[in-house]
PDB file of all heavy atoms in Angstrom:
ATOM      1  N   THR V1169     103.643 107.587 114.845  1.00  0.00           N
ATOM      2  CA  THR V1169     105.084 107.923 115.012  1.00  0.00           C
ATOM      3  C   THR V1169     105.792 107.647 113.701  1.00  0.00           C
ATOM      4  O   THR V1169     105.709 106.540 113.108  1.00  0.00           O
ATOM      5  CB  THR V1169     105.682 107.129 116.198  1.00  0.00           C
ATOM      6  OG1 THR V1169     104.957 107.445 117.388  1.00  0.00           O
ATOM      7  CG2 THR V1169     107.205 107.551 116.449  1.00  0.00           C
ATOM      8  N   ASP V1170     106.620 108.554 113.277  1.00  0.00           N
ATOM      9  CA  ASP V1170     107.493 108.303 112.168  1.00  0.00           C
ATOM     10  C   ASP V1170     108.864 107.926 112.782  1.00  0.00           C
ATOM     11  O   ASP V1170     109.340 108.489 113.716  1.00  0.00           O
ATOM     12  CB  ASP V1170     107.791 109.652 111.263  1.00  0.00           C
ATOM     13  CG  ASP V1170     106.546 110.020 110.616  1.00  0.00           C
ATOM     14  OD1 ASP V1170     105.590 109.211 110.386  1.00  0.00           O
ATOM     15  OD2 ASP V1170     106.445 111.152 110.071  1.00  0.00           O
ATOM     16  N   VAL V1171     109.514 106.873 112.135  1.00  0.00           N
ATOM     17  CA  VAL V1171     110.686 106.256 112.657  1.00  0.00           C
ATOM     18  C   VAL V1171     111.649 105.993 111.569  1.00  0.00           C
ATOM     19  O   VAL V1171     111.289 105.344 110.548  1.00  0.00           O
ATOM     20  CB  VAL V1171     110.380 104.873 113.386  1.00  0.00           C
ATOM     21  CG1 VAL V1171     111.576 104.275 114.004  1.00  0.00           C
ATOM     22  CG2 VAL V1171     109.235 105.056 114.417  1.00  0.00           C
ATOM     23  N   VAL V1172     112.849 106.447 111.808  1.00  0.00           N
ATOM     24  CA  VAL V1172     113.942 105.983 110.888  1.00  0.00           C
ATOM     25  C   VAL V1172     115.114 105.399 111.670  1.00  0.00           C
ATOM     26  O   VAL V1172     115.614 106.012 112.738  1.00  0.00           O
ATOM     27  CB  VAL V1172     114.551 107.299 110.127  1.00  0.00           C
ATOM     28  CG1 VAL V1172     115.713 106.900 109.276  1.00  0.00           C
ATOM     29  CG2 VAL V1172     113.429 107.964 109.346  1.00  0.00           C
ATOM     30  N   HIS V1173     115.307 104.088 111.459  1.00  0.00           N
ATOM     31  CA  HIS V1173     116.338 103.380 112.220  1.00  0.00           C
ATOM     32  C   HIS V1173     117.563 103.108 111.276  1.00  0.00           C
ATOM     33  O   HIS V1173     117.295 102.359 110.286  1.00  0.00           O
ATOM     34  CB  HIS V1173     115.832 102.057 112.813  1.00  0.00           C
ATOM     35  CG  HIS V1173     116.824 101.335 113.744  1.00  0.00           C
ATOM     36  ND1 HIS V1173     116.644 100.076 114.111  1.00  0.00           N
ATOM     37  CD2 HIS V1173     117.897 101.790 114.310  1.00  0.00           C
ATOM     38  CE1 HIS V1173     117.544  99.709 114.917  1.00  0.00           C
ATOM     39  NE2 HIS V1173     118.386 100.790 115.004  1.00  0.00           N
ATOM     40  N   VAL V1174     118.586 103.645 111.529  1.00  0.00           N
ATOM     41  CA  VAL V1174     119.837 103.606 110.539  1.00  0.00           C
ATOM     42  C   VAL V1174     120.815 102.717 111.285  1.00  0.00           C
ATOM     43  O   VAL V1174     121.408 103.049 112.341  1.00  0.00           O
ATOM     44  CB  VAL V1174     120.341 105.005 110.218  1.00  0.00           C
ATOM     45  CG1 VAL V1174     121.613 104.821 109.327  1.00  0.00           C
ATOM     46  CG2 VAL V1174     119.344 105.892 109.706  1.00  0.00           C
ATOM     47  N   ARG V1175     121.060 101.624 110.591  1.00  0.00           N
ATOM     48  CA  ARG V1175     122.143 100.676 111.121  1.00  0.00           C
ATOM     49  C   ARG V1175     123.367 100.875 110.120  1.00  0.00           C
ATOM     50  O   ARG V1175     124.470 100.487 110.610  1.00  0.00           O
ATOM     51  CB  ARG V1175     121.586  99.257 111.100  1.00  0.00           C
ATOM     52  CG  ARG V1175     120.509  99.107 112.162  1.00  0.00           C
ATOM     53  CD  ARG V1175     119.981  97.646 112.146  1.00  0.00           C
ATOM     54  NE  ARG V1175     119.303  97.383 110.894  1.00  0.00           N
ATOM     55  CZ  ARG V1175     118.030  97.588 110.601  1.00  0.00           C
ATOM     56  NH1 ARG V1175     117.206  98.179 111.556  1.00  0.00           N
ATOM     57  NH2 ARG V1175     117.517  97.261 109.415  1.00  0.00           N
ATOM     58  N   GLY V1176     123.123 101.327 109.009  1.00  0.00           N
ATOM     59  CA  GLY V1176     124.251 101.553 108.076  1.00  0.00           C
ATOM     60  C   GLY V1176     123.606 102.206 106.761  1.00  0.00           C
ATOM     61  O   GLY V1176     122.431 102.326 106.582  1.00  0.00           O
ATOM     62  N   GLU V1177     124.518 102.693 105.969  1.00  0.00           N
ATOM     63  CA  GLU V1177     124.031 103.310 104.655  1.00  0.00           C
ATOM     64  C   GLU V1177     123.114 102.524 103.905  1.00  0.00           C
ATOM     65  O   GLU V1177     122.254 103.100 103.223  1.00  0.00           O
ATOM     66  CB  GLU V1177     125.245 103.649 103.824  1.00  0.00           C
ATOM     67  CG  GLU V1177     125.087 104.391 102.561  1.00  0.00           C
ATOM     68  CD  GLU V1177     124.987 105.912 102.787  1.00  0.00           C
ATOM     69  OE1 GLU V1177     125.607 106.399 103.741  1.00  0.00           O
ATOM     70  OE2 GLU V1177     124.329 106.558 101.936  1.00  0.00           O
ATOM     71  N   GLU V1178     123.191 101.212 103.886  1.00  0.00           N
ATOM     72  CA  GLU V1178     122.337 100.331 103.123  1.00  0.00           C
ATOM     73  C   GLU V1178     121.572  99.388 104.001  1.00  0.00           C
ATOM     74  O   GLU V1178     120.915  98.468 103.590  1.00  0.00           O
ATOM     75  CB  GLU V1178     123.128  99.590 102.064  1.00  0.00           C
ATOM     76  CG  GLU V1178     123.732 100.489 101.040  1.00  0.00           C
ATOM     77  CD  GLU V1178     124.597  99.711 100.142  1.00  0.00           C
ATOM     78  OE1 GLU V1178     124.599  98.435 100.062  1.00  0.00           O
ATOM     79  OE2 GLU V1178     125.294 100.335  99.259  1.00  0.00           O
ATOM     80  N   ASP V1179     121.478  99.757 105.340  1.00  0.00           N
ATOM     81  CA  ASP V1179     120.760  98.949 106.267  1.00  0.00           C
ATOM     82  C   ASP V1179     119.917  99.869 107.150  1.00  0.00           C
ATOM     83  O   ASP V1179     120.457 100.379 108.142  1.00  0.00           O
ATOM     84  CB  ASP V1179     121.768  98.117 107.076  1.00  0.00           C
ATOM     85  CG  ASP V1179     121.154  97.094 108.035  1.00  0.00           C
ATOM     86  OD1 ASP V1179     119.896  96.970 107.951  1.00  0.00           O
ATOM     87  OD2 ASP V1179     121.858  96.437 108.839  1.00  0.00           O
ATOM     88  N   PHE V1180     118.694 100.014 106.762  1.00  0.00           N
ATOM     89  CA  PHE V1180     117.839 100.958 107.477  1.00  0.00           C
ATOM     90  C   PHE V1180     116.368 100.578 107.389  1.00  0.00           C
ATOM     91  O   PHE V1180     115.975  99.693 106.603  1.00  0.00           O
ATOM     92  CB  PHE V1180     118.003 102.390 106.913  1.00  0.00           C
ATOM     93  CG  PHE V1180     117.835 102.404 105.418  1.00  0.00           C
ATOM     94  CD1 PHE V1180     116.501 102.617 104.948  1.00  0.00           C
ATOM     95  CD2 PHE V1180     118.770 102.303 104.504  1.00  0.00           C
ATOM     96  CE1 PHE V1180     116.201 102.681 103.524  1.00  0.00           C
ATOM     97  CE2 PHE V1180     118.542 102.306 103.213  1.00  0.00           C
ATOM     98  CZ  PHE V1180     117.314 102.543 102.715  1.00  0.00           C
ATOM     99  N   VAL V1181     115.544 101.131 108.302  1.00  0.00           N
ATOM    100  CA  VAL V1181     114.095 101.000 108.192  1.00  0.00           C
ATOM    101  C   VAL V1181     113.447 102.373 108.287  1.00  0.00           C
ATOM    102  O   VAL V1181     113.929 103.168 109.192  1.00  0.00           O
ATOM    103  CB  VAL V1181     113.534 100.157 109.504  1.00  0.00           C
ATOM    104  CG1 VAL V1181     111.967 100.087 109.486  1.00  0.00           C
ATOM    105  CG2 VAL V1181     114.144  98.778 109.447  1.00  0.00           C
ATOM    106  N   VAL V1182     112.565 102.724 107.452  1.00  0.00           N
ATOM    107  CA  VAL V1182     111.883 103.989 107.394  1.00  0.00           C
ATOM    108  C   VAL V1182     110.481 103.673 107.406  1.00  0.00           C
ATOM    109  O   VAL V1182     110.009 103.075 106.470  1.00  0.00           O
ATOM    110  CB  VAL V1182     112.385 104.912 106.239  1.00  0.00           C
ATOM    111  CG1 VAL V1182     111.559 106.163 106.211  1.00  0.00           C
ATOM    112  CG2 VAL V1182     113.841 105.080 106.288  1.00  0.00           C
ATOM    113  N   ARG V1183     109.746 104.207 108.371  1.00  0.00           N
ATOM    114  CA  ARG V1183     108.248 103.865 108.383  1.00  0.00           C
ATOM    115  C   ARG V1183     107.457 104.856 109.253  1.00  0.00           C
ATOM    116  O   ARG V1183     108.050 105.534 110.078  1.00  0.00           O
ATOM    117  CB  ARG V1183     108.001 102.434 108.901  1.00  0.00           C
ATOM    118  CG  ARG V1183     108.322 102.127 110.296  1.00  0.00           C
ATOM    119  CD  ARG V1183     107.890 100.884 110.819  1.00  0.00           C
ATOM    120  NE  ARG V1183     107.965  99.832 109.791  1.00  0.00           N
ATOM    121  CZ  ARG V1183     107.608  98.539 109.966  1.00  0.00           C
ATOM    122  NH1 ARG V1183     106.930  98.152 111.094  1.00  0.00           N
ATOM    123  NH2 ARG V1183     107.615  97.636 108.919  1.00  0.00           N
ATOM    124  N   ARG V1184     106.021 104.782 109.013  1.00  0.00           N
ATOM    125  CA  ARG V1184     105.210 105.503 109.909  1.00  0.00           C
ATOM    126  C   ARG V1184     104.404 104.239 110.625  1.00  0.00           C
ATOM    127  O   ARG V1184     103.993 103.350 109.902  1.00  0.00           O
ATOM    128  CB  ARG V1184     104.260 106.372 109.123  1.00  0.00           C
ATOM    129  CG  ARG V1184     103.180 107.023 110.133  1.00  0.00           C
ATOM    130  CD  ARG V1184     102.416 108.111 109.384  1.00  0.00           C
ATOM    131  NE  ARG V1184     103.371 109.305 109.222  1.00  0.00           N
ATOM    132  CZ  ARG V1184     103.052 110.288 108.492  1.00  0.00           C
ATOM    133  NH1 ARG V1184     101.864 110.417 107.865  1.00  0.00           N
ATOM    134  NH2 ARG V1184     103.838 111.354 108.455  1.00  0.00           N
ATOM    135  N   ALA V1185     104.313 104.416 111.878  1.00  0.00           N
ATOM    136  CA  ALA V1185     103.702 103.350 112.645  1.00  0.00           C
ATOM    137  C   ALA V1185     102.630 103.857 113.567  1.00  0.00           C
ATOM    138  O   ALA V1185     102.589 105.030 113.934  1.00  0.00           O
ATOM    139  CB  ALA V1185     104.763 102.499 113.447  1.00  0.00           C
ATOM    140  N   ARG V1186     101.687 102.969 113.822  1.00  0.00           N
ATOM    141  CA  ARG V1186     100.605 103.353 114.893  1.00  0.00           C
ATOM    142  C   ARG V1186     101.230 103.278 116.243  1.00  0.00           C
ATOM    143  O   ARG V1186     101.694 102.127 116.615  1.00  0.00           O
ATOM    144  CB  ARG V1186      99.423 102.381 114.706  1.00  0.00           C
ATOM    145  CG  ARG V1186      98.650 102.641 113.454  1.00  0.00           C
ATOM    146  CD  ARG V1186      97.313 101.967 113.556  1.00  0.00           C
ATOM    147  NE  ARG V1186      96.438 102.566 114.567  1.00  0.00           N
ATOM    148  CZ  ARG V1186      95.613 103.573 114.338  1.00  0.00           C
ATOM    149  NH1 ARG V1186      95.508 104.063 113.130  1.00  0.00           N
ATOM    150  NH2 ARG V1186      95.003 104.121 115.360  1.00  0.00           N
ATOM    151  N   ALA V1187     101.336 104.241 116.893  1.00  0.00           N
ATOM    152  CA  ALA V1187     101.891 104.262 118.264  1.00  0.00           C
ATOM    153  C   ALA V1187     100.921 103.585 119.267  1.00  0.00           C
ATOM    154  O   ALA V1187     101.288 103.092 120.235  1.00  0.00           O
ATOM    155  CB  ALA V1187     102.210 105.677 118.737  1.00  0.00           C
ATOM    156  N   ASP V1188      99.622 103.595 118.878  1.00  0.00           N
ATOM    157  CA  ASP V1188      98.619 102.960 119.617  1.00  0.00           C
ATOM    158  C   ASP V1188      98.134 101.655 119.088  1.00  0.00           C
ATOM    159  O   ASP V1188      97.017 101.194 119.386  1.00  0.00           O
ATOM    160  CB  ASP V1188      97.373 103.936 119.867  1.00  0.00           C
ATOM    161  CG  ASP V1188      96.700 104.178 118.507  1.00  0.00           C
ATOM    162  OD1 ASP V1188      97.146 103.859 117.529  1.00  0.00           O
ATOM    163  OD2 ASP V1188      95.611 104.753 118.627  1.00  0.00           O
ATOM    164  N   GLY V1189      99.047 101.047 118.244  1.00  0.00           N
ATOM    165  CA  GLY V1189      98.715  99.737 117.593  1.00  0.00           C
ATOM    166  C   GLY V1189      98.586  98.485 118.480  1.00  0.00           C
ATOM    167  O   GLY V1189      98.780  98.651 119.789  1.00  0.00           O
ATOM    168  N   PRO V1190      98.319  97.426 117.943  1.00  0.00           N
ATOM    169  CA  PRO V1190      98.134  96.207 118.657  1.00  0.00           C
ATOM    170  C   PRO V1190      99.391  95.651 119.345  1.00  0.00           C
ATOM    171  O   PRO V1190      99.303  94.821 120.164  1.00  0.00           O
ATOM    172  CB  PRO V1190      97.566  95.218 117.679  1.00  0.00           C
ATOM    173  CG  PRO V1190      97.991  95.724 116.364  1.00  0.00           C
ATOM    174  CD  PRO V1190      98.119  97.266 116.440  1.00  0.00           C
ATOM    175  N   ASN V1191     100.540  96.047 118.961  1.00  0.00           N
ATOM    176  CA  ASN V1191     101.795  95.603 119.388  1.00  0.00           C
ATOM    177  C   ASN V1191     102.624  96.723 120.029  1.00  0.00           C
ATOM    178  O   ASN V1191     102.625  97.852 119.420  1.00  0.00           O
ATOM    179  CB  ASN V1191     102.531  94.917 118.299  1.00  0.00           C
ATOM    180  CG  ASN V1191     103.742  94.117 118.818  1.00  0.00           C
ATOM    181  OD1 ASN V1191     104.578  94.688 119.503  1.00  0.00           O
ATOM    182  ND2 ASN V1191     103.847  92.883 118.319  1.00  0.00           N
ATOM    183  N   ASN V1192     103.226  96.590 121.113  1.00  0.00           N
ATOM    184  CA  ASN V1192     103.953  97.699 121.728  1.00  0.00           C
ATOM    185  C   ASN V1192     105.277  97.929 121.075  1.00  0.00           C
ATOM    186  O   ASN V1192     106.045  98.883 121.473  1.00  0.00           O
ATOM    187  CB  ASN V1192     104.167  97.522 123.286  1.00  0.00           C
ATOM    188  CG  ASN V1192     104.996  96.247 123.597  1.00  0.00           C
ATOM    189  OD1 ASN V1192     105.473  95.564 122.712  1.00  0.00           O
ATOM    190  ND2 ASN V1192     105.236  95.979 124.869  1.00  0.00           N
ATOM    191  N   ASP V1193     105.715  97.252 120.022  1.00  0.00           N
ATOM    192  CA  ASP V1193     106.881  97.344 119.213  1.00  0.00           C
ATOM    193  C   ASP V1193     106.551  98.232 118.031  1.00  0.00           C
ATOM    194  O   ASP V1193     105.814  97.748 117.108  1.00  0.00           O
ATOM    195  CB  ASP V1193     107.455  96.045 118.779  1.00  0.00           C
ATOM    196  CG  ASP V1193     108.740  96.120 118.034  1.00  0.00           C
ATOM    197  OD1 ASP V1193     109.109  97.282 117.641  1.00  0.00           O
ATOM    198  OD2 ASP V1193     109.335  95.082 117.779  1.00  0.00           O
ATOM    199  N   LEU V1194     107.024  99.431 117.872  1.00  0.00           N
ATOM    200  CA  LEU V1194     106.799 100.290 116.699  1.00  0.00           C
ATOM    201  C   LEU V1194     107.238  99.605 115.357  1.00  0.00           C
ATOM    202  O   LEU V1194     106.566  99.945 114.324  1.00  0.00           O
ATOM    203  CB  LEU V1194     107.573 101.646 116.761  1.00  0.00           C
ATOM    204  CG  LEU V1194     106.989 102.698 117.776  1.00  0.00           C
ATOM    205  CD1 LEU V1194     107.906 103.863 117.791  1.00  0.00           C
ATOM    206  CD2 LEU V1194     105.613 103.103 117.311  1.00  0.00           C
ATOM    207  N   PHE V1195     108.129  98.716 115.383  1.00  0.00           N
ATOM    208  CA  PHE V1195     108.604  98.010 114.214  1.00  0.00           C
ATOM    209  C   PHE V1195     107.698  96.788 113.918  1.00  0.00           C
ATOM    210  O   PHE V1195     108.046  96.140 112.835  1.00  0.00           O
ATOM    211  CB  PHE V1195     110.153  97.647 114.276  1.00  0.00           C
ATOM    212  CG  PHE V1195     110.896  98.914 114.400  1.00  0.00           C
ATOM    213  CD1 PHE V1195     111.412  99.413 115.641  1.00  0.00           C
ATOM    214  CD2 PHE V1195     111.211  99.625 113.196  1.00  0.00           C
ATOM    215  CE1 PHE V1195     112.182 100.545 115.665  1.00  0.00           C
ATOM    216  CE2 PHE V1195     111.973 100.813 113.244  1.00  0.00           C
ATOM    217  CZ  PHE V1195     112.411 101.290 114.498  1.00  0.00           C
ATOM    218  N   ALA V1196     106.814  96.466 114.752  1.00  0.00           N
ATOM    219  CA  ALA V1196     105.959  95.233 114.493  1.00  0.00           C
ATOM    220  C   ALA V1196     105.099  95.520 113.290  1.00  0.00           C
ATOM    221  O   ALA V1196     104.575  96.631 112.989  1.00  0.00           O
ATOM    222  CB  ALA V1196     105.060  94.958 115.657  1.00  0.00           C
ATOM    223  N   GLU V1197     104.955  94.444 112.497  1.00  0.00           N
ATOM    224  CA  GLU V1197     104.272  94.597 111.124  1.00  0.00           C
ATOM    225  C   GLU V1197     102.766  95.134 111.388  1.00  0.00           C
ATOM    226  O   GLU V1197     102.265  95.731 110.616  1.00  0.00           O
ATOM    227  CB  GLU V1197     104.243  93.241 110.440  1.00  0.00           C
ATOM    228  CG  GLU V1197     103.812  93.297 109.022  1.00  0.00           C
ATOM    229  CD  GLU V1197     104.533  94.326 108.100  1.00  0.00           C
ATOM    230  OE1 GLU V1197     105.769  94.566 108.321  1.00  0.00           O
ATOM    231  OE2 GLU V1197     103.936  94.895 107.187  1.00  0.00           O
ATOM    232  N   ALA V1198     102.251  94.626 112.530  1.00  0.00           N
ATOM    233  CA  ALA V1198     100.834  94.984 112.818  1.00  0.00           C
ATOM    234  C   ALA V1198     100.641  96.453 112.985  1.00  0.00           C
ATOM    235  O   ALA V1198      99.588  97.011 112.869  1.00  0.00           O
ATOM    236  CB  ALA V1198     100.338  94.131 114.044  1.00  0.00           C
ATOM    237  N   ASN V1199     101.763  97.190 113.356  1.00  0.00           N
ATOM    238  CA  ASN V1199     101.630  98.586 113.563  1.00  0.00           C
ATOM    239  C   ASN V1199     101.966  99.464 112.374  1.00  0.00           C
ATOM    240  O   ASN V1199     101.894 100.673 112.336  1.00  0.00           O
ATOM    241  CB  ASN V1199     102.642  99.033 114.733  1.00  0.00           C
ATOM    242  CG  ASN V1199     102.138  98.420 116.053  1.00  0.00           C
ATOM    243  OD1 ASN V1199     100.972  98.027 116.201  1.00  0.00           O
ATOM    244  ND2 ASN V1199     103.047  98.314 116.997  1.00  0.00           N
ATOM    245  N   ARG V1200     102.530  98.811 111.271  1.00  0.00           N
ATOM    246  CA  ARG V1200     102.975  99.508 110.095  1.00  0.00           C
ATOM    247  C   ARG V1200     101.788 100.080 109.391  1.00  0.00           C
ATOM    248  O   ARG V1200     100.783  99.489 109.047  1.00  0.00           O
ATOM    249  CB  ARG V1200     103.808  98.671 109.168  1.00  0.00           C
ATOM    250  CG  ARG V1200     104.301  99.387 107.972  1.00  0.00           C
ATOM    251  CD  ARG V1200     105.180  98.390 107.110  1.00  0.00           C
ATOM    252  NE  ARG V1200     104.397  97.289 106.545  1.00  0.00           N
ATOM    253  CZ  ARG V1200     103.530  97.373 105.508  1.00  0.00           C
ATOM    254  NH1 ARG V1200     103.492  98.504 104.826  1.00  0.00           N
ATOM    255  NH2 ARG V1200     102.963  96.331 105.082  1.00  0.00           N
ATOM    256  N   VAL V1201     101.919 101.445 109.125  1.00  0.00           N
ATOM    257  CA  VAL V1201     100.937 102.213 108.344  1.00  0.00           C
ATOM    258  C   VAL V1201     101.542 102.482 106.962  1.00  0.00           C
ATOM    259  O   VAL V1201     100.914 102.397 106.005  1.00  0.00           O
ATOM    260  CB  VAL V1201     100.590 103.556 108.983  1.00  0.00           C
ATOM    261  CG1 VAL V1201      99.737 104.457 108.145  1.00  0.00           C
ATOM    262  CG2 VAL V1201      99.906 103.351 110.316  1.00  0.00           C
ATOM    263  N   TRP V1202     102.840 102.795 106.911  1.00  0.00           N
ATOM    264  CA  TRP V1202     103.570 103.051 105.711  1.00  0.00           C
ATOM    265  C   TRP V1202     104.965 102.622 105.905  1.00  0.00           C
ATOM    266  O   TRP V1202     105.510 102.863 106.975  1.00  0.00           O
ATOM    267  CB  TRP V1202     103.415 104.523 105.266  1.00  0.00           C
ATOM    268  CG  TRP V1202     104.283 104.932 104.112  1.00  0.00           C
ATOM    269  CD1 TRP V1202     103.880 104.948 102.842  1.00  0.00           C
ATOM    270  CD2 TRP V1202     105.656 105.337 104.126  1.00  0.00           C
ATOM    271  NE1 TRP V1202     104.935 105.315 102.035  1.00  0.00           N
ATOM    272  CE2 TRP V1202     106.043 105.570 102.830  1.00  0.00           C
ATOM    273  CE3 TRP V1202     106.621 105.542 105.091  1.00  0.00           C
ATOM    274  CZ2 TRP V1202     107.306 105.924 102.419  1.00  0.00           C
ATOM    275  CZ3 TRP V1202     107.830 105.914 104.804  1.00  0.00           C
ATOM    276  CH2 TRP V1202     108.221 106.177 103.408  1.00  0.00           C
ATOM    277  N   SER V1203     105.654 102.185 104.873  1.00  0.00           N
ATOM    278  CA  SER V1203     107.115 102.018 104.895  1.00  0.00           C
ATOM    279  C   SER V1203     107.668 102.259 103.557  1.00  0.00           C
ATOM    280  O   SER V1203     107.012 102.171 102.603  1.00  0.00           O
ATOM    281  CB  SER V1203     107.487 100.585 105.422  1.00  0.00           C
ATOM    282  OG  SER V1203     107.005  99.632 104.599  1.00  0.00           O
ATOM    283  N   SER V1204     108.945 102.551 103.531  1.00  0.00           N
ATOM    284  CA  SER V1204     109.629 102.866 102.258  1.00  0.00           C
ATOM    285  C   SER V1204     109.690 101.597 101.447  1.00  0.00           C
ATOM    286  O   SER V1204     109.672 100.392 101.913  1.00  0.00           O
ATOM    287  CB  SER V1204     110.996 103.460 102.535  1.00  0.00           C
ATOM    288  OG  SER V1204     111.773 102.481 103.214  1.00  0.00           O
ATOM    289  N   ALA V1205     109.726 101.764 100.189  1.00  0.00           N
ATOM    290  CA  ALA V1205     109.760 100.684  99.143  1.00  0.00           C
ATOM    291  C   ALA V1205     111.083 100.037  99.171  1.00  0.00           C
ATOM    292  O   ALA V1205     112.145 100.615  99.605  1.00  0.00           O
ATOM    293  CB  ALA V1205     109.572 101.224  97.755  1.00  0.00           C
ATOM    294  N   ASP V1206     111.162  98.802  98.935  1.00  0.00           N
ATOM    295  CA  ASP V1206     112.398  97.933  98.842  1.00  0.00           C
ATOM    296  C   ASP V1206     113.240  98.562  97.697  1.00  0.00           C
ATOM    297  O   ASP V1206     112.725  98.966  96.583  1.00  0.00           O
ATOM    298  CB  ASP V1206     112.134  96.506  98.547  1.00  0.00           C
ATOM    299  CG  ASP V1206     111.528  95.794  99.718  1.00  0.00           C
ATOM    300  OD1 ASP V1206     111.641  96.287 100.895  1.00  0.00           O
ATOM    301  OD2 ASP V1206     110.853  94.728  99.580  1.00  0.00           O
ATOM    302  N   GLY V1207     114.528  98.516  97.919  1.00  0.00           N
ATOM    303  CA  GLY V1207     115.442  98.843  96.844  1.00  0.00           C
ATOM    304  C   GLY V1207     115.826 100.388  96.743  1.00  0.00           C
ATOM    305  O   GLY V1207     116.481 100.752  95.869  1.00  0.00           O
ATOM    306  N   VAL V1208     115.198 101.162  97.583  1.00  0.00           N
ATOM    307  CA  VAL V1208     115.540 102.606  97.518  1.00  0.00           C
ATOM    308  C   VAL V1208     116.678 102.907  98.416  1.00  0.00           C
ATOM    309  O   VAL V1208     117.006 102.166  99.349  1.00  0.00           O
ATOM    310  CB  VAL V1208     114.260 103.476  98.039  1.00  0.00           C
ATOM    311  CG1 VAL V1208     113.045 103.218  97.009  1.00  0.00           C
ATOM    312  CG2 VAL V1208     113.882 103.250  99.418  1.00  0.00           C
ATOM    313  N   THR V1209     117.293 104.013  98.148  1.00  0.00           N
ATOM    314  CA  THR V1209     118.384 104.479  98.982  1.00  0.00           C
ATOM    315  C   THR V1209     117.886 105.059 100.265  1.00  0.00           C
ATOM    316  O   THR V1209     116.736 105.341 100.405  1.00  0.00           O
ATOM    317  CB  THR V1209     119.297 105.474  98.356  1.00  0.00           C
ATOM    318  OG1 THR V1209     118.521 106.690  98.173  1.00  0.00           O
ATOM    319  CG2 THR V1209     119.773 104.999  96.972  1.00  0.00           C
ATOM    320  N   LEU V1210     118.756 105.276 101.257  1.00  0.00           N
ATOM    321  CA  LEU V1210     118.372 105.924 102.527  1.00  0.00           C
ATOM    322  C   LEU V1210     117.816 107.279 102.235  1.00  0.00           C
ATOM    323  O   LEU V1210     116.682 107.647 102.670  1.00  0.00           O
ATOM    324  CB  LEU V1210     119.573 105.954 103.473  1.00  0.00           C
ATOM    325  CG  LEU V1210     119.306 106.682 104.789  1.00  0.00           C
ATOM    326  CD1 LEU V1210     118.174 106.074 105.663  1.00  0.00           C
ATOM    327  CD2 LEU V1210     120.614 106.768 105.624  1.00  0.00           C
ATOM    328  N   ALA V1211     118.461 108.090 101.380  1.00  0.00           N
ATOM    329  CA  ALA V1211     117.920 109.437 101.072  1.00  0.00           C
ATOM    330  C   ALA V1211     116.613 109.385 100.427  1.00  0.00           C
ATOM    331  O   ALA V1211     115.700 110.170 100.747  1.00  0.00           O
ATOM    332  CB  ALA V1211     119.039 110.086 100.179  1.00  0.00           C
ATOM    333  N   GLU V1212     116.413 108.489  99.456  1.00  0.00           N
ATOM    334  CA  GLU V1212     115.077 108.304  98.828  1.00  0.00           C
ATOM    335  C   GLU V1212     113.968 107.885  99.855  1.00  0.00           C
ATOM    336  O   GLU V1212     112.820 108.490  99.750  1.00  0.00           O
ATOM    337  CB  GLU V1212     115.154 107.254  97.687  1.00  0.00           C
ATOM    338  CG  GLU V1212     115.955 107.650  96.533  1.00  0.00           C
ATOM    339  CD  GLU V1212     116.332 106.561  95.529  1.00  0.00           C
ATOM    340  OE1 GLU V1212     116.282 105.376  95.934  1.00  0.00           O
ATOM    341  OE2 GLU V1212     116.570 106.826  94.340  1.00  0.00           O
TER     342      GLU V1212
END
């Protein structure tokens, strides 16, 4: 699952996660497959 959680212009999480991963929370580190780099803008 691709997930974008926007809390604000500079407060967001963008990632691809394993929906069938070891944790039922998509935002759990164990489920992370890819996430955006630190320091990038929301658009980037």
Side-chain angles (χ1 to χ4, degrees):
T1169 301
D1170 291 344
V1171 182
V1172 178
H1173 187 195
V1174 182
R1175 294 176 296 270
E1177 182 86 23
E1178 297 178 7
D1179 187 5
F1180 55 87
V1181 175
V1182 178
R1183 67 171 35 187
R1184 178 167 288 170
R1186 290 194 67 90
D1188 63 349
N1191 190 309
N1192 64 359
D1193 179 356
L1194 283 175
F1195 294 99
E1197 190 59 29
N1199 294 341
R1200 183 177 59 83
V1201 174
W1202 174 90
S1203 62
S1204 59
D1206 290 338
V1208 298
T1209 67
L1210 177 59
E1212 291 167 337

